[in-house]
Amino acid sequence: MLNQAATGLFPGGIYCLIGICLLLVYRVGAVVNFSQALAGTFAAFAVTSLTSDGLPTWFAITAGLLLGAAIAVVQGMVMARYLIEASVLVRTGVSIAMAVTLFSLSLVIFGDNPRNFPVILGGKFSVGGIELQTAAILAWALAIVCGIALGLTLSRTRLGIVLRAIAHSAPTAETLGVRTSRYVVGVWAVAGLITTFAVILIAPATGSVDAMGLLVGPAVAAVLLGGFRRIWLTVLGALGIGLAEGVTPMISNTQLAQVCDSAVPFVVIAAVLFWSQRKVSVGDIR
Amino acid sequence: MAGSLTNDTWNFAAITAVWEGMLVLSAGLLLERVGLLALCPMSFAGVGVYTVVYLTQHESLPLPLMLAAALLAAIPVGILVGGIALRLRGVNLAVVTFAFAMVTSTFFNTFGFPAQFSFDRKALMRPLVLTSDRDFFLMAYSVLILVGLLLSLHSRTERGRAWLFVRSSERACLATGRSVAAVKIEAFVISAAIAGLAGGIMAYQTLGSVSPSLFDPLQAISLVAVAVMVGAGSLTGAIVGGIFVAVLPIVLGDIGINSTVSSAFFGIGAVMVLSKGTGGMTATWPWIRRSPAPGVSAAPSSGSGTTAQTPVARQVGHREPAGSPASGSVTDACALEIQGLTVRYGRVMALSDVSLKLAPGVVAGLIGPNGAGKSTLIDAVSGFVPSYTGRITVAGQALEHLSPNARARHGVARTFQTCRTMPELTVGAYMSVFARHHVDQNLRDELIDYFELPPANQLIEFVDVGTRRVVELAGALVARPKVLLLDEPAAGLGDLQSISLGNKIRALPMRFDCSVLLIEHDVELVRSAVDELTVLDFGVVVGNGRPGEVLKLQAVADAYLGDTAPANPQSMDLPGAMAAGDPSAQASR
């Protein structure tokens, strides 16, 4: 059973990476970015086009990373330019609309046929009888580094203060002389770059535009476990969700398992949100 | 490729346009009328499809019953999601409904619809009259029009208008005495029913073979993007949206472009609409654009400003004879009695052992520097403070453990410091939401006259902000409250209008049989309008009595000016007026 659970470590690591990027974009850009994984999806498919054209893998992957970041930059520019005074809900609506656009453009340009995604880091190794994928270790290592970096930056550096100010009220930060659009675009670019890497890493295991775009679902669940604030809870949440997804195929009926798999994030999300809102009283509603 | 489109294609697409339009309407009415972003309209539709296909395999019901079954089956799911919406708001709700859409999508893609792959599957049969796609389209289109008409009727009732209150401010809805939970559940029931009905039509369109891929999350959120783009709270918007969704892919396919590009259009369209910065989730298209009532200019209403209506002159037939003030004639109980009210926010004492008595027929004032606790007191009385110690009674009835809307029903009415009126409603429509059971047109018109408001058919969008606050005040009176709590009603009014309002407030108990507690910063207005005055400072009562005497108290001057205020009676009348060049003041620093 441990081996079964361990298969969930790889997706868990990816959810963690994407979740940290989601958290970064939320903390600074004040938006729940439903399209977080889609810039990466588009880029991952572009990578396969380049490799099938004969270009070397390392070149294609680098180009893919830059493409993913570029798409994220465009998204960030739209957010910074037009939606600086919008509410979180409106911005989230925009991210949903962007998700629709990126989803369909990916399908249109690249089609939904199976592709040969390059494996960045293959191989497995055994630790104490449990099989672990090397890529899973890479994902977790990167996730923990990013998490620590994010936490320290936001809490200990001057940059972090500026970012938090922008999140709290971008227009007010503007009046203090902060060039908010640069920071917002920069944050989107960093988050886009890291997420693109994560998606390219797991691309061989997912394969379709749908599945890759929807990686954002479990990632959102992980971020919710941290109340959209706490990084280490996000990390733990991603671990838990990954392990849970690894274990659910053990239910005998495989069709039911598939549905349960997708139900895990929903149950987590609903339960966590309900719990987090339990103290919301009549005094808080506006 | 061109010319390969046949009538059949168009007929089929027309039916698609109808159910897509229904789905857009289902999502749009939640979004535009209640302000709820729910990303699971396809899930409700899926329930409808499932029900019809299931029934086909087991029973054979006529078409109207099948559609009714689809509609009814979706309702429990709607109530479930509506229940979630009671606790989760805004983005939280969007996230949960998105996750729910993902689960239902996986469900339909995994299990499919009943007997989807079995050999002895019974096909869904349309009635003979509706065998051709064109005839079926006409029937479906009639259903869509009917749904739109019913929704339109609903939106003109007080229940329907209350939806806009919830969208604008839940507090505003509670203050009218209506339950926010009831509004949200009602909205979700209607939304799910329409989506379920759309699912039934989907099933009949393809004679029971609905493709599960229609329920993919991408489709679900595309739909919401379209709803945002077209402003789908109205029938016209929904029809436009439905046509858009159904027709654009065909047109694109015909000119050789992959039809999925249409989804990209919807996404970009929605981004553009939301970026317009209207602050809302929908665009303003011609079918939503509103104009001022004919014959009325959009200029601010000019109060006469000079004399108030004399209270005794106007009589209204159905009321108790005016001329004898209500005080003392009906009951001896205080209109409002506050005993030992203490409110803590964490370690901050917002109010500390505050007691206040408001006799029937009296206008009382409450003043104090900013942060003194005046709004907190009104919040506590109207039920917006989660916990407090002390006792509050209205006309002898204790208010503890009553929710804000229950308190409103017991005769507590209030206005808010930040104006909470809805630009989409007319003055008359807004005021009628406050009515408990049926709208008393005479009372409403009398109030409009009394406060010199714009006419009842004027959209609040074209009323200036200061006057909107008076509209809010008038609305609160429609409910015939026993106690009216006013939180700075004159803010935003010019000098003359303020004076006029003050006079009108002074006469309220006589005219409309209620007692008034007035918070104001304008001390002159307070002095002229109220019978008695209470002064708060840092949550404590520092003075209570007739205005002339209270305003002379040292403690009151200290509250406004600080401890170094000179002991000069004249300078205490207007807080903020510093005694210029008084040597004793400077010496005592």
Side-chain angles (χ1 to χ4, degrees), chain A residues 32 34 82-83 88-89 93-94 97 100-101 103-104 108 255 259 262 266 269 273-274 277-278 281-283 285-286, chain B residues 87-89 91-92 96 98 103 106 110-111 169 171 218 222 260-261 263-264 267-268 274-275 383-384 386 404 420:
Chain A
V32 177
F34 276 87
Y82 300 106
L83 294 153
V88 176
L89 188 59
V94 172
V100 170
T101 310
F103 237 124
S104 38
V108 166
Q255 277 191 321
V259 179
S262 74
F266 168 63
I269 288 173
L273 281 175
F274 261 77
Q277 300 291 303
R278 73 193 181 285
S281 65
V282 71
I285 55 176
R286 298 279 148 227
Chain B
R87 190 75 98 88
L88 303 180
R89 297 175 170 81
V91 177
N92 291 339
V96 169
F98 177 68
V103 174
T106 312
T110 315
F111 290 110
S169 156
R171 285 200 167 197
L218 169 63
S222 280
T260 317
V261 171
S263 292
I268 295 175
L274 291 173
S275 305
F384 291 102
R420 292 170 198 230

Side-chain angles (χ1 to χ4, degrees), chain B residues 91-170:
Chain B
V91 177
N92 291 339
L93 181 66
V95 168
V96 169
T97 50
F98 177 68
F100 182 62
M102 278 178 61
V103 174
T104 53
S105 159
T106 312
F107 179 87
F108 290 128
N109 275 299
T110 315
F111 290 110
F113 295 105
Q116 194 167 353
F117 304 112
S118 89
F119 281 117
D120 48 357
R121 183 178 153 270
K122 294 186 202 160
L124 178 61
M125 302 299 293
R126 294 188 204 160
L128 274 168
V129 228
L130 301 175
T131 315
S132 86
D133 271 355
R134 189 168 169 280
D135 294 330
F136 186 75
F137 158 70
L138 288 172
M139 188 274 313
Y141 187 63
S142 321
V143 171
L144 175 61
I145 300 289
L146 181 62
V147 168
L149 281 174
L150 289 174
L151 271 183
S152 179
L153 283 175
H154 177 269
S155 73
R156 287 177 218 278
T157 65
E158 279 65 55
R159 291 176 70 101
R161 288 172 185 149
W163 289 21
L164 293 178
F165 274 66
V166 171
R167 177 188 125 159
S168 160
S169 156
E170 290 191 20

Side-chain angles (χ1 to χ4, degrees), chain B residues 334-421:
Chain B
C334 281
L336 170 67
E337 186 169 352
I338 301 174
Q339 290 166 323
L341 179 64
T342 303
V343 176
R344 262 194 196 86
Y345 291 125
R347 279 187 294 183
V348 173
M349 289 273 263
L351 290 173
S352 182
D353 200 28
V354 170
S355 294
L356 191 95
K357 265 192 191 160
L358 184 61
V362 162
V363 178
L366 183 63
I367 63 172
N370 280 323
K374 310 187 292 292
S375 289
T376 309
L377 189 137
I378 287 196
D379 280 349
V381 174
S382 53
F384 291 102
V385 169
S387 68
Y388 58 81
T389 50
R391 223 171 108 83
I392 303 177
T393 54
V394 165
Q397 158 104 39
L399 294 185
E400 276 65 62
H401 308 302
L402 288 183
S403 63
N405 46 321
R407 294 186 191 208
R409 290 196 299 272
H410 273 95
V412 178
R414 67 161 297 174
T415 61
F416 292 92
Q417 221 174 356
T418 51
C419 182
R420 292 170 198 230
T421 51

Side-chain angles (χ1 to χ4, degrees), chain B residues 447-503:
Chain B
L447 283 163
I448 291 178
D449 265 342
Y450 180 70
F451 285 105
E452 293 167 32
L453 296 175
N457 64 344
Q458 175 66 289
L459 283 167
I460 293 181
E461 184 177 350
F462 300 104
V463 174
D464 68 283
V465 177
T467 312
R468 287 189 198 186
R469 309 205 54 224
V470 183
V471 170
E472 198 183 342
L473 200 169
L477 282 167
V478 168
R480 300 180 203 267
K482 302 190 180 90
V483 176
L484 179 61
L485 311 165
L486 300 177
D487 202 344
E488 300 190 34
L493 290 180
D495 254 0
L496 289 180
Q497 287 173 298
S498 280
I499 296 172
S500 169
L501 182 66
N503 290 327

